[in-house]
Amino acid sequence: MKPAVILVGADKGGVGKTTVARALADYLTGKNVLTRAFDTESPRGTLKRFHGDMTEVVDIDSTSDQMKILDTLNTTQVKVSLIDTRAGALARTLRALRDVGFFEAVHEGQFTFILFHVLGPSIASLDEIAETAPFVADADYFLVKNHVNDSTFFEWDPATYQTYFSNTRSADEVTIPKLSEMAYEQVEIAGAPFSTFVANKTDDGRPAAHSFVLRGYVRTWQAKIAEEFNRIQLLDLIAGAADKK
Amino acid sequence: MQRRTRVYICCSPHKRTGATTTARLLSDYFIANGRNFAGFDTDPQEPDYGARFPNAVAIVDSTKVQGQVAMFDRLLVHDETPKIVDVRHRFYERFLDTIEEIGFMDEALTAMAQPIVLFHADATEASLAASLALARRWPDLCMVIVTNKGSAPLGHDALDILAQFPSRRRFVIGALDTTARACLEASDFSLSHFLLTPPSDMSIVIRMGLRAWVAPIFAQFQTFELRAAMEGAQFL
């Protein structure tokens, strides 16, 4: 299995990027896929707060941090690297990766690259897609509609949609369903991964007293997300086994 | 064998089938036997059940997460205090969807709670279909088919109709004559209070009528509990 880089990003803040990254971290951990994560929200990191044991906060514009991520892809035992990009920095992160030759290496088959592009509910998201197009030629590219914070997405006009996608290899859509606001807040307060909350434990593994109802909602929500990741054959993509579209 | 805490869910997809009456009767049964219970009325707009037992019944909005937390978290507490939920017919489907979404049935097993659905039947095809759907949804569910001869009489074909329902366990609530019924439905009338200390100024006819009505109902509740205890007994 070649090393895989999963990038979660958006060019707009507040679209729930880190929620998607957290869901991915939980899913991969649940599937026993050893994963390390990088939070580019330097100097503090939200992903780090929830998945502290696997996450390192990095500055994607810093050469030493770029080396920390990319130069270790082949040497580390952990084959999946999950990068949660800072709000509004997807295009910049992609450019930084291009500048260090990452996409060439992906093209040569050294690495697997999977991009989860979290969309906002506005028309600006279509411009983001166009901007992302040059970087995803060899990627498994997913557009994420995140409903967790009750976003309602505009109805994309098919003609406009086609215009944006004419320069992009077809992208699959991933839907993150809505989670009860109260349940989401309680996980935030717990400061633990979703799966730890569901297991009624604190972040350091002690028994907790979380509401059964809220745990139930989070468990069902996670199951729906897992169905989505299974549908896109995420594990096969990571293993390099799924057919490229 | 450790006894599980019973959670009685009084429900029906249709109105006027007597679900609230059963919730009330169960509550009075426990009070008359000197036992505690915890009740939940899921109709915050017209909480008939909650209004009758203000100290023991919580009024919750089961369509809101806050209400669900207040109710379902409490239902899973294994304290051997029976729980009674009166599900309003208009929230029936949503209530079941919530139970499924939060995984209540599975959690009840591990939490030593035993949900018992008191499904209130009527003579319609839809009632039968709803009970069959319920049994398909949770095949291991303990379901009791309740027929209230006053609210939703099944008519001459009662036995044939009941035979189609997916459970052999049954409660039958008899019909009350109009005068006794009016007395029972008065907002300030407490059945358990009446049973423990019958008011001296009450008509002897009504008194006897109410006693005759309630005795077989309580006998069924008692039989149900005894049977469940025997089924759970370790050395029988």
Side-chain angles (χ1 to χ4, degrees):
Chain A
M1 175 179 157
K2 59 188 174 186
V5 173
I6 301 175
L7 187 72
V8 182
D11 268 325
K12 192 176 177 300
V15 294
K17 248 180 331 65
T18 303
T19 303
V20 176
R22 285 162 61 193
L24 274 163
D26 264 329
Y27 175 79
L28 294 170
T29 305
K31 297 286 183 188
N32 296 317
V33 176
L34 279 179
T35 305
R36 61 179 187 165
F38 296 99
D39 188 337
T40 69
E41 209 178 341
S42 174
R44 59 182 178 84
T46 311
L47 184 63
K48 172 83 177 166
R49 190 176 149 235
F50 293 96
H51 292 271
D53 52 342
M54 63 154 73
T55 307
E56 201 173 332
V57 179
V58 292
D59 177 0
I60 200 72
D61 294 322
S62 132
T63 306
S64 62
D65 279 358
Q66 289 169 356
M67 288 164 65
K68 200 184 282 179
I69 302 169
L70 299 176
D71 287 354
T72 55
L73 286 176
N74 273 321
T75 54
T76 178
Q77 294 297 308
V78 182
K79 292 301 176 197
V80 177
S81 299
L82 173 65
I83 304 175
D84 179 23
T85 64
R86 193 166 57 193
L90 175 61
R92 205 168 79 224
T93 303
L94 290 171
R95 280 195 294 274
L97 290 172
R98 177 197 60 197
D99 293 347
V100 297
F102 174 72
F103 294 120
E104 274 175 40
V106 171
H107 184 69
E108 288 163 8
Q110 291 180 44
F111 308 123
T112 297
F113 178 50
I114 301 168
L115 174 60
F116 286 93
H117 185 164
V118 187
L119 299 173
S122 73
I123 196 77
S125 292
L126 286 174
D127 291 327
E128 282 180 32
I129 294 165
E131 219 177 322
T132 311
F135 304 103
V136 295
D138 297 297
D140 294 297
Y141 182 38
F142 297 99
L143 296 171
V144 182
K145 285 184 174 176
N146 183 7
H147 293 270
V148 77
N149 44 12
D150 227 0
S151 288
T152 46
F153 289 84
F154 51 83
E155 287 301 319
W156 285 342
D157 166 50
T160 315
Y161 189 81
Q162 202 50 46
T163 307
Y164 281 91
F165 275 92
S166 57
N167 295 324
T168 311
R169 199 157 61 81
S170 66
D172 208 342
E173 275 185 21
V174 170
T175 301
I176 303 293
K178 175 163 173 52
L179 174 62
S180 142
E181 209 172 288
M182 196 171 168
Y184 190 82
E185 275 172 16
Q186 285 303 308
V187 183
E188 289 282 312
I189 291 166
F194 292 113
S195 47
T196 306
F197 182 84
V198 168
N200 206 14
K201 289 188 175 160
T202 62
D203 194 33
D204 52 8
R206 286 177 292 132
H210 302 311
S211 157
F212 156 72
V213 171
L214 302 183
R215 287 189 289 121
Y217 275 122
V218 177
R219 182 172 43 230
T220 304
W221 178 75
Q222 277 196 301
K224 286 178 185 165
I225 294 173
E227 275 177 30
E228 280 290 273
F229 291 153
N230 291 339
R231 179 182 60 77
I232 63 168
Q233 298 178 281
L234 181 59
L235 294 182
D236 288 344
L237 293 175
I238 289 170
D243 290 337
K244 294 265 181 192
K245 284 189 272 303
Chain B
M1 186 184 278
Q2 201 183 4
R3 210 165 75 176
R4 293 167 70 186
T5 300
R6 296 194 185 104
V7 177
Y8 297 95
I9 300 170
C10 304
C11 62
S12 167
H14 301 144
K15 60 184 174 185
R16 294 200 186 93
T17 53
T20 301
T21 302
T22 305
R24 185 181 168 191
L25 282 163
L26 266 173
S27 306
D28 279 315
Y29 166 74
F30 291 124
I31 294 171
N33 285 289
R35 292 161 63 185
N36 288 328
F37 72 97
F40 297 88
D41 189 331
T42 62
D43 191 346
Q45 269 78 47
E46 297 169 53
D48 182 41
Y49 175 48
R52 289 181 183 277
F53 305 94
N55 297 322
V57 176
I59 298 162
V60 296
D61 185 346
S62 64
T63 63
K64 300 263 167 55
V65 179
Q66 286 89 337
Q68 292 164 6
V69 170
M71 179 169 64
F72 287 111
D73 280 11
R74 177 80 176 93
L75 294 182
L76 291 171
V77 176
H78 177 46
D79 54 4
E80 296 198 13
T81 300
K83 316 291 190 310
I84 302 165
V85 184
D86 179 20
V87 182
R88 267 293 150 127
H89 70 277
R90 59 176 177 271
F91 303 135
Y92 174 81
E93 282 298 338
R94 196 155 174 192
F95 183 85
L96 298 182
D97 289 346
T98 302
I99 279 185
E100 183 163 28
E101 184 167 9
I102 63 178
F104 177 75
M105 295 301 182
D106 291 339
E107 188 74 10
L109 259 182
T110 54
M112 290 297 289
Q114 186 187 15
I116 299 155
V117 169
L118 304 182
F119 184 92
H120 287 67
D122 59 53
T124 64
E125 285 289 325
S127 176
L128 174 63
S131 71
L132 292 169
L134 194 57
R136 274 195 304 274
R137 205 166 183 176
W138 292 289
D140 297 328
L141 177 69
C142 176
M143 193 192 316
V144 178
I145 307 299
V146 184
T147 51
N148 187 315
K149 290 181 171 176
S151 304
L154 298 181
H156 295 303
D157 300 331
L159 289 177
D160 293 338
I161 292 170
L162 279 173
Q164 299 176 66
F165 278 80
S167 174
R168 300 275 80 84
R169 296 187 187 94
R170 282 167 204 161
F171 287 158
V172 178
I173 311 292
L176 258 182
D177 74 79
T178 317
T179 318
R181 184 163 191 87
C183 175
L184 181 78
E185 286 178 352
S187 59
D188 58 347
F189 181 79
S190 161
L191 190 59
S192 47
H193 184 75
F194 160 78
L195 291 170
L196 294 170
T197 50
S200 54
D201 57 345
M202 182 186 260
S203 150
I204 193 163
V205 176
I206 293 176
R207 203 189 304 174
M208 296 309 288
L210 278 173
R211 279 197 178 280
W213 176 71
V214 84
I217 297 169
F218 281 13
Q220 290 174 78
F221 294 160
Q222 193 175 18
T223 306
F224 179 83
E225 287 198 303
L226 283 171
R227 187 178 294 162
M230 286 169 74
E231 283 169 358
Q234 201 171 357
F235 302 110
L236 282 176

